[in-house]
Amino acid sequence: MNAQSPSGAPDRALRALWGYPRRAPLTLAYVCLLLVTHAWIGYGLSAERAADVLDRVSTNLDNLQDHPLSALLGSVLFFDGTLTDVASTGFVGTLITLGLGVCCFLARAEHRWGAARAVAVFLGGHVAATLLTAGVIAFALRQGWYPESVRQDVDFGVSYGAQTVLAVGTLALPRWGRLPWAVFVLGWPVGGAEWAAGPLPDFTTVGHLVAAALGFGLLGVPAFRRQRVRAGGPSPGAREVGAVPRP
C-alpha cells in the first residue's frame, strides 16, 4: 500500500471546509447568526442594555414563569462564552459547545439526517433539558440546597442543545472511540462543577448532564441510526447500522 502524501490531511481539511456550506447550510447560517448576536451584545450595545437583553432571554425560573416561549427561543440566539480570551475556561467552553457541538456535530447531524431532524434534536434537547432542570431547581429550592437568588440567575446560550447533539453524535465515531467520547461528554461539565450545601452540583452542570442523557437516549431510536436517503443514493439498509457515511 502506498503511503499517503503529507499534504493529504490539509487537502482533506480544505475540501471539507469548501463543502461545508453545501453539506450544512442551515448550521452555517446559525453559526453566522450566533457570531452576529455575540458581536452585537459585546460591542453594539452599552453594558447596561446588553445586560437587560441577556436577562430577558435567560431561562431562569422567573422568566420561565413570566415569558417562557421568548426566554426559551431567545436563549439559543446567543452563546455564553468568549472568542478572544483564549486562556480562560470560558474559551474552552466555547470550543466545546460552539466549536464541537454546533459547528461540527450539528453540521454532521444536518448532513446525515437532514435539517429538520437536526433542528429537532438541537432544539428539543435545549427545551427539554431546560425544563427538566427547572424542575430540579424548584425541588432543590424547597430542600434548601440552592439559594433563592437562583430564581433570577442569568442563564442563556446554546450549550444544552449542543450537549444533546454531542451525545447523539457518538454514532458518528468509530466503535473504539464511542466509550471515551461518552466519558468526555459527561465529564467536561462535571469537571467545572460547583457544589453548594446539598447533594447537587450547580444547576448548569445538572442541565448539561440532563442534556447529555437525552442525547444518549436518542441513540436507541432507529431513525437516528440511519443516514437519510438521498436521490440516487443507497437505501438505509445498505450500510451497517451506525456506520459513518463517506463525506
Side-chain angles (χ1 to χ4, degrees), residues 26-243:
L26 187 63
T27 299
L28 178 61
Y30 182 48
V31 171
C32 291
L33 175 62
L34 289 173
L35 294 175
V36 169
T37 57
H38 187 73
W40 177 59
I41 286 292
Y43 305 103
L45 298 177
S46 66
E48 181 179 357
R49 179 57 181 155
D52 289 341
V53 171
L54 296 180
D55 182 68
R56 176 72 181 177
V57 300
S58 291
T59 52
N60 53 45
L61 289 187
D62 283 358
N63 283 355
L64 288 175
Q65 291 174 352
D66 181 64
H67 50 278
L69 188 60
S70 60
L72 286 167
L73 296 181
S75 179
V76 293
L77 298 179
F78 304 89
F79 66 90
D80 183 16
T82 177
L83 292 172
T84 54
D85 189 3
V86 296
S88 67
T89 56
F91 184 74
V92 175
T94 300
L95 287 180
I96 294 173
T97 58
L98 181 63
L100 286 176
V102 177
C103 294
C104 296
F105 278 79
L106 182 59
R108 176 68 172 75
E110 181 182 354
H111 178 61
R112 182 183 177 99
W113 301 315
R117 199 173 297 172
V119 169
V121 171
F122 183 84
L123 277 183
H126 166 73
V127 172
T130 299
L131 296 180
L132 289 171
T133 303
V136 172
I137 294 172
F139 176 79
L141 284 171
R142 290 196 295 271
Q143 304 303 315
W145 296 341
Y146 288 160
E148 284 293 325
S149 61
V150 78
R151 292 181 175 274
Q152 296 89 31
D153 275 1
V154 176
D155 180 37
F156 64 92
V158 303
S159 59
Y160 290 174
Q163 184 79 341
T164 304
V165 173
L166 286 172
V168 176
T170 303
L171 285 178
L173 303 175
R175 293 187 184 277
W176 59 263
R178 292 177 184 177
L179 180 57
W181 179 253
V183 172
F184 166 74
V185 171
L186 292 171
W188 82 264
V190 175
E194 299 177 1
W195 297 83
L200 294 177
D202 60 280
F203 70 87
T204 56
T205 299
V206 172
H208 285 101
L209 294 177
V210 170
L214 292 170
F216 288 130
L218 289 175
L219 296 182
V221 178
F224 292 102
R225 300 182 66 86
R226 295 192 298 265
Q227 180 179 346
R228 64 173 173 170
V229 179
R230 295 178 177 85
S235 64
R239 295 185 184 271
E240 178 187 355
V241 173

